[in-house]
Structure formats: structure tokens, C-alpha cells
Amino acid sequence: MQFMASKQPENSLLGPESDSQRTLYPYVTGTSVVALKYKDGILMAADMGAFGFHSRSSSLFFSCFVLEVCCFKRPGSYGSTLRYKSVERMKPIGKHSLLGASGEISDFQEILRYLDELILYDNMWDDGNSLGPKEVHNYLTRVMYNRRNKFNPLWNSLVLGGVKNGQKYLGTVSMIGVNFEDNHVATGFGNHLARPILRQEWHENLSFEDGVRLLEKCMRVLLYRDRSAVNKLQIAKITEDSVTISQPYSLKTYWEFSAFENPAQGAIGSW
């Protein structure tokens, strides 16, 4: 019996561009994550917006999007505009860790699948031990660097924090495996806009209330200055005993600053 390879019709949605490809373009992405150590543990903040991007290599994705919006009347936007408004980008990992991610949402979901398998394998030993935040962070650095070396990166910047045996841990890793730990970290525009605020105002004995106020100040600055930020955020807390992720809420803002009313005033060569 002979088997013939089926040929895709020329007018099919599946064209040559539907073949297996590397992650060259992020499609649905989240922006900054900001985290810090406080007196009893780790605090982390992230907004809930996710933006869609379009490239010439995404014809199948675009066709499916048009079908979704036009035929099923579902709200959404395309291009570099807000597409989803309720994307949770912080997740507890095992008993002692909390993970936040910026970047491609589908790659973040893949990382969560890896971590589910890691935690399950660890629990199967049933030896009374469990992976702490340092071990999980080291695992993530190896995963990100391994995928980078295969030229198939996971398009994310990750923040991993946690508490185990009274020791607080906070670290970050980029999509190419660059990693470090610190008393406060941020991804995306937060590296440029939030870290200066944290360097100036963070201190070791920060209370929970002061830590939340400091994170809200950082997120408010990001909302003013980062086009991808939205005014709907969550703040997560992890201590020795538990992990808590707040319900989404909005910050009070003030848009009447003169620099906002006429941002091009005094700019040379502006329109």
C-alpha cells in the first residue's frame, strides 16, 4: 500500500508561514513587574494588561483574530494596542515561591507547565523537603539560557521571590539567561523608571503598608510614562506561611500636570 503526502490547498489558511518557526515576534505581551523585599517577606506588583503585536509573518494569527472578532463579536484590539484586560501575570510556585513575568503570555504559560512538572516530581519523593525560591530561580536561569542557546528563546523576563526557613530571596532572569538577585528588582520599563525610586526609598525594615505604598508609587509612575501599562493591577505577598494575591484594583491618578497638557511645548523641531 502506498501513502501519498496530502497537499494543502492553495487557498488554505495554512500556508508556508505556518511551518514550525522560532519565536521571532511576541504576539501577546505583558509589561513591567516590580518586586521588593519587606520586613516579613516579598511584595510583587504587576498590571493586568496584555498587548497584541502584528508582523508580516503572522497571517494565520491575523486571520483567526479577524474571524474571532467579526463572527463572534468578541471585544479585542490588534496592533500595538490593548487586547486583554484581565491577564494574571503572578503565580505561586510550590510552597515557598512566587513568580511574576513580563513578555509573551504563551511562553509564560509554557514556563508554568515546566514548573508544574518540576514541583510534581519534587513532591513524588515524599521526603519532607521541598524546593525553595533559590532552587526554583536557579532552575529558571538554566531553562532560559538553554532555550537561548537553541535560538528558540522563551520571550519573557521573570521575577522569582520567596521565603524559606526565614530567609527571603528575590531574583530575576531575562530571556537570554542574564540573572541576579537583589533587595528589589523590576522588568521592562520598570528597570528604568521604578528602580531609581526603589533605590532611593527602599530600606531593610520596610513594613507591609509602606511596601505596598512604595510599589503603588512605582506602578503609578509606570502608568504615566509606559504606553503599555494599564490602570488595573494586582499586588502579591509571600511570607513564610502563605501566598496572597490581591484582587485587581485601580490607582488614583492625576493627569492635570502641565507637562501632560502640552508635552511638546519648548521641544525643538516638534509638530
mmCIF file of all heavy atoms in Angstrom, residues 4 9 19 25 31 33 48 62 69 71 84 100 105 109 124 160 180-181 183 188 195 198 220 241 253 263:
data_model
loop_
_atom_site.group_PDB
_atom_site.id
_atom_site.type_symbol
_atom_site.label_atom_id
_atom_site.label_comp_id
_atom_site.label_asym_id
_atom_site.label_seq_id
_atom_site.Cartn_x
_atom_site.Cartn_y
_atom_site.Cartn_z
ATOM 1 N N MET A 4 0.305 8.618 0.026
ATOM 2 C CA MET A 4 0.637 9.870 -0.635
ATOM 3 C C MET A 4 0.549 11.014 0.375
ATOM 4 O O MET A 4 -0.388 11.091 1.167
ATOM 5 C CB MET A 4 -0.335 10.142 -1.790
ATOM 6 C CG MET A 4 -0.328 9.043 -2.853
ATOM 7 S SD MET A 4 1.254 8.952 -3.707
ATOM 8 C CE MET A 4 1.217 10.505 -4.589
ATOM 9 N N PRO A 9 -4.409 22.856 0.138
ATOM 10 C CA PRO A 9 -4.972 23.703 -0.918
ATOM 11 C C PRO A 9 -4.362 25.087 -0.874
ATOM 12 O O PRO A 9 -4.007 25.597 0.181
ATOM 13 C CB PRO A 9 -6.471 23.732 -0.580
ATOM 14 C CG PRO A 9 -6.549 23.376 0.863
ATOM 15 C CD PRO A 9 -5.413 22.436 1.121
ATOM 16 N N ASP A 19 4.573 26.706 8.953
ATOM 17 C CA ASP A 19 5.527 25.690 9.367
ATOM 18 C C ASP A 19 6.139 26.070 10.718
ATOM 19 O O ASP A 19 6.057 27.199 11.160
ATOM 20 C CB ASP A 19 6.638 25.548 8.321
ATOM 21 C CG ASP A 19 6.089 25.074 6.979
ATOM 22 O OD1 ASP A 19 5.008 24.456 7.006
ATOM 23 O OD2 ASP A 19 6.730 25.331 5.954
ATOM 24 N N TYR A 25 8.741 36.890 16.946
ATOM 25 C CA TYR A 25 7.918 38.051 17.243
ATOM 26 C C TYR A 25 6.981 37.703 18.401
ATOM 27 O O TYR A 25 6.228 36.731 18.304
ATOM 28 C CB TYR A 25 7.081 38.464 16.030
ATOM 29 C CG TYR A 25 7.895 38.737 14.791
ATOM 30 C CD1 TYR A 25 8.088 37.755 13.839
ATOM 31 C CD2 TYR A 25 8.470 39.989 14.585
ATOM 32 C CE1 TYR A 25 8.835 37.995 12.694
ATOM 33 C CE2 TYR A 25 9.219 40.237 13.451
ATOM 34 C CZ TYR A 25 9.393 39.232 12.503
ATOM 35 O OH TYR A 25 10.140 39.486 11.379
ATOM 36 N N THR A 31 3.605 43.903 30.376
ATOM 37 C CA THR A 31 4.699 44.840 30.634
ATOM 38 C C THR A 31 5.320 44.595 32.006
ATOM 39 O O THR A 31 5.366 43.460 32.485
ATOM 40 C CB THR A 31 4.217 46.293 30.450
ATOM 41 O OG1 THR A 31 5.307 47.178 30.562
ATOM 42 C CG2 THR A 31 3.112 46.655 31.410
ATOM 43 N N VAL A 33 7.031 44.085 35.731
ATOM 44 C CA VAL A 33 6.787 43.503 37.053
ATOM 45 C C VAL A 33 7.776 44.163 38.013
ATOM 46 O O VAL A 33 8.958 44.303 37.691
ATOM 47 C CB VAL A 33 6.988 41.978 37.054
ATOM 48 C CG1 VAL A 33 6.784 41.409 38.450
ATOM 49 C CG2 VAL A 33 6.044 41.309 36.060
ATOM 50 N N MET A 48 -2.511 44.149 34.675
ATOM 51 C CA MET A 48 -3.207 43.007 34.074
ATOM 52 C C MET A 48 -3.455 43.188 32.586
ATOM 53 O O MET A 48 -4.260 42.472 31.995
ATOM 54 C CB MET A 48 -4.530 42.764 34.804
ATOM 55 C CG MET A 48 -4.359 42.536 36.294
ATOM 56 S SD MET A 48 -5.866 42.033 37.116
ATOM 57 C CE MET A 48 -6.074 40.373 36.467
ATOM 58 N N PHE A 62 -3.502 36.486 12.329
ATOM 59 C CA PHE A 62 -4.364 37.615 11.984
ATOM 60 C C PHE A 62 -5.706 37.131 11.445
ATOM 61 O O PHE A 62 -6.758 37.659 11.793
ATOM 62 C CB PHE A 62 -3.668 38.491 10.960
ATOM 63 C CG PHE A 62 -4.482 39.678 10.537
ATOM 64 C CD1 PHE A 62 -4.675 40.741 11.408
ATOM 65 C CD2 PHE A 62 -5.060 39.734 9.282
ATOM 66 C CE1 PHE A 62 -5.422 41.838 11.039
ATOM 67 C CE2 PHE A 62 -5.811 40.836 8.905
ATOM 68 C CZ PHE A 62 -5.996 41.884 9.783
ATOM 69 N N VAL A 69 -13.222 38.206 15.990
ATOM 70 C CA VAL A 69 -13.875 39.489 16.261
ATOM 71 C C VAL A 69 -15.118 39.678 15.408
ATOM 72 O O VAL A 69 -16.171 40.078 15.884
ATOM 73 C CB VAL A 69 -12.885 40.644 16.033
ATOM 74 C CG1 VAL A 69 -13.590 41.979 16.148
ATOM 75 C CG2 VAL A 69 -11.750 40.568 17.048
ATOM 76 N N CYS A 71 -16.955 37.403 13.561
ATOM 77 C CA CYS A 71 -18.008 36.393 13.584
ATOM 78 C C CYS A 71 -18.598 36.205 14.978
ATOM 79 O O CYS A 71 -19.777 35.920 15.117
ATOM 80 C CB CYS A 71 -17.473 35.059 13.071
ATOM 81 S SG CYS A 71 -16.936 35.133 11.343
ATOM 82 N N TYR A 84 -6.098 42.308 25.900
ATOM 83 C CA TYR A 84 -6.728 41.650 27.042
ATOM 84 C C TYR A 84 -6.546 42.526 28.278
ATOM 85 O O TYR A 84 -5.500 43.133 28.460
ATOM 86 C CB TYR A 84 -6.112 40.268 27.295
ATOM 87 C CG TYR A 84 -6.230 39.336 26.121
ATOM 88 C CD1 TYR A 84 -5.124 39.032 25.347
ATOM 89 C CD2 TYR A 84 -7.455 38.764 25.792
ATOM 90 C CE1 TYR A 84 -5.220 38.174 24.267
ATOM 91 C CE2 TYR A 84 -7.559 37.909 24.712
ATOM 92 C CZ TYR A 84 -6.445 37.616 23.950
ATOM 93 O OH TYR A 84 -6.555 36.773 22.879
ATOM 94 N N GLY A 100 6.559 36.104 38.846
ATOM 95 C CA GLY A 100 5.936 37.131 38.013
ATOM 96 C C GLY A 100 6.648 37.196 36.680
ATOM 97 O O GLY A 100 7.859 36.934 36.597
ATOM 98 N N ILE A 105 2.851 36.044 26.728
ATOM 99 C CA ILE A 105 1.990 35.330 27.663
ATOM 100 C C ILE A 105 2.005 33.826 27.405
ATOM 101 O O ILE A 105 2.021 33.027 28.347
ATOM 102 C CB ILE A 105 0.546 35.870 27.596
ATOM 103 C CG1 ILE A 105 0.535 37.375 27.933
ATOM 104 C CG2 ILE A 105 -0.354 35.101 28.550
ATOM 105 C CD1 ILE A 105 1.066 37.708 29.304
ATOM 106 N N GLN A 109 2.982 30.749 29.988
ATOM 107 C CA GLN A 109 2.197 29.555 30.248
ATOM 108 C C GLN A 109 3.032 28.288 30.079
ATOM 109 O O GLN A 109 2.880 27.320 30.837
ATOM 110 C CB GLN A 109 0.981 29.533 29.322
ATOM 111 C CG GLN A 109 -0.020 30.641 29.626
ATOM 112 C CD GLN A 109 -1.078 30.794 28.550
ATOM 113 O OE1 GLN A 109 -0.902 30.355 27.412
ATOM 114 N NE2 GLN A 109 -2.196 31.414 28.904
ATOM 115 N N MET A 124 6.863 13.958 44.580
ATOM 116 C CA MET A 124 6.801 12.498 44.496
ATOM 117 C C MET A 124 7.842 11.819 45.377
ATOM 118 O O MET A 124 7.669 10.653 45.764
ATOM 119 C CB MET A 124 6.962 12.049 43.039
ATOM 120 C CG MET A 124 5.748 12.336 42.171
ATOM 121 S SD MET A 124 6.056 12.053 40.408
ATOM 122 C CE MET A 124 6.508 10.320 40.404
ATOM 123 N N LEU A 160 11.390 36.075 40.466
ATOM 124 C CA LEU A 160 11.092 34.955 41.361
ATOM 125 C C LEU A 160 11.434 35.368 42.785
ATOM 126 O O LEU A 160 12.586 35.742 43.076
ATOM 127 C CB LEU A 160 11.893 33.720 40.936
ATOM 128 C CG LEU A 160 11.528 32.341 41.490
ATOM 129 C CD1 LEU A 160 11.925 32.166 42.946
ATOM 130 C CD2 LEU A 160 10.044 32.042 41.318
ATOM 131 N N PHE A 180 20.284 37.784 38.314
ATOM 132 C CA PHE A 180 20.890 38.286 39.535
ATOM 133 C C PHE A 180 19.832 38.298 40.627
ATOM 134 O O PHE A 180 18.639 38.146 40.357
ATOM 135 C CB PHE A 180 21.480 39.689 39.338
ATOM 136 C CG PHE A 180 20.477 40.747 38.966
ATOM 137 C CD1 PHE A 180 19.829 41.487 39.940
ATOM 138 C CD2 PHE A 180 20.187 41.011 37.636
ATOM 139 C CE1 PHE A 180 18.908 42.468 39.609
ATOM 140 C CE2 PHE A 180 19.278 41.982 37.283
ATOM 141 C CZ PHE A 180 18.628 42.718 38.281
ATOM 142 N N GLU A 181 20.265 38.465 41.856
ATOM 143 C CA GLU A 181 19.349 38.642 42.984
ATOM 144 C C GLU A 181 19.646 39.971 43.661
ATOM 145 O O GLU A 181 20.777 40.459 43.624
ATOM 146 C CB GLU A 181 19.464 37.492 43.981
ATOM 147 C CG GLU A 181 20.846 37.249 44.526
ATOM 148 C CD GLU A 181 20.876 36.114 45.530
ATOM 149 O OE1 GLU A 181 20.256 36.270 46.609
ATOM 150 O OE2 GLU A 181 21.506 35.091 45.237
ATOM 151 N N ASN A 183 17.682 43.233 46.557
ATOM 152 C CA ASN A 183 16.623 43.579 47.505
ATOM 153 C C ASN A 183 15.368 44.082 46.806
ATOM 154 O O ASN A 183 14.286 44.078 47.394
ATOM 155 C CB ASN A 183 17.122 44.638 48.486
ATOM 156 C CG ASN A 183 18.224 44.110 49.388
ATOM 157 O OD1 ASN A 183 18.148 42.993 49.878
ATOM 158 N ND2 ASN A 183 19.248 44.918 49.593
ATOM 159 N N GLY A 188 11.295 45.114 32.282
ATOM 160 C CA GLY A 188 10.777 46.050 31.299
ATOM 161 C C GLY A 188 11.140 47.491 31.617
ATOM 162 O O GLY A 188 12.243 47.802 32.077
ATOM 163 N N ARG A 195 13.164 51.326 39.317
ATOM 164 C CA ARG A 195 14.349 51.043 40.124
ATOM 165 C C ARG A 195 14.958 52.299 40.756
ATOM 166 O O ARG A 195 15.394 52.253 41.913
ATOM 167 C CB ARG A 195 15.412 50.319 39.286
ATOM 168 C CG ARG A 195 15.122 48.883 38.927
ATOM 169 C CD ARG A 195 14.954 47.958 40.103
ATOM 170 N NE ARG A 195 16.139 47.801 40.948
ATOM 171 C CZ ARG A 195 17.166 47.009 40.685
ATOM 172 N NH1 ARG A 195 17.201 46.313 39.547
ATOM 173 N NH2 ARG A 195 18.169 46.894 41.531
ATOM 174 N N LEU A 198 13.019 52.906 43.844
ATOM 175 C CA LEU A 198 13.288 51.880 44.850
ATOM 176 C C LEU A 198 14.649 52.097 45.500
ATOM 177 O O LEU A 198 14.813 51.918 46.708
ATOM 178 C CB LEU A 198 13.207 50.495 44.205
ATOM 179 C CG LEU A 198 11.821 50.072 43.708
ATOM 180 C CD1 LEU A 198 11.911 48.789 42.895
ATOM 181 C CD2 LEU A 198 10.868 49.887 44.876
ATOM 182 N N ARG A 220 2.342 53.726 39.590
ATOM 183 C CA ARG A 220 1.725 54.967 39.111
ATOM 184 C C ARG A 220 2.650 55.680 38.121
ATOM 185 O O ARG A 220 2.209 56.191 37.086
ATOM 186 C CB ARG A 220 1.392 55.872 40.296
ATOM 187 C CG ARG A 220 0.598 57.119 39.911
ATOM 188 C CD ARG A 220 0.217 57.931 41.140
ATOM 189 N NE ARG A 220 -0.788 57.256 41.954
ATOM 190 C CZ ARG A 220 -0.547 56.691 43.136
ATOM 191 N NH1 ARG A 220 0.673 56.719 43.654
ATOM 192 N NH2 ARG A 220 -1.514 56.101 43.803
ATOM 193 N N ASP A 241 4.520 31.745 55.755
ATOM 194 C CA ASP A 241 3.309 30.957 55.985
ATOM 195 C C ASP A 241 2.411 30.818 54.764
ATOM 196 O O ASP A 241 1.728 29.797 54.605
ATOM 197 C CB ASP A 241 2.496 31.574 57.129
ATOM 198 C CG ASP A 241 3.285 31.653 58.419
ATOM 199 O OD1 ASP A 241 4.030 30.698 58.711
ATOM 200 O OD2 ASP A 241 3.171 32.683 59.115
ATOM 201 N N THR A 253 -5.164 58.612 40.097
ATOM 202 C CA THR A 253 -4.211 59.297 39.217
ATOM 203 C C THR A 253 -4.574 60.772 39.078
ATOM 204 O O THR A 253 -5.702 61.181 39.361
ATOM 205 C CB THR A 253 -4.196 58.643 37.823
ATOM 206 O OG1 THR A 253 -5.524 58.672 37.266
ATOM 207 C CG2 THR A 253 -3.719 57.197 37.892
ATOM 208 N N PRO A 263 2.795 68.371 26.071
ATOM 209 C CA PRO A 263 4.095 67.709 26.198
ATOM 210 C C PRO A 263 5.135 68.197 25.200
ATOM 211 O O PRO A 263 6.328 68.039 25.430
ATOM 212 C CB PRO A 263 3.754 66.235 25.972
ATOM 213 C CG PRO A 263 2.479 66.243 25.193
ATOM 214 C CD PRO A 263 1.725 67.442 25.675
#
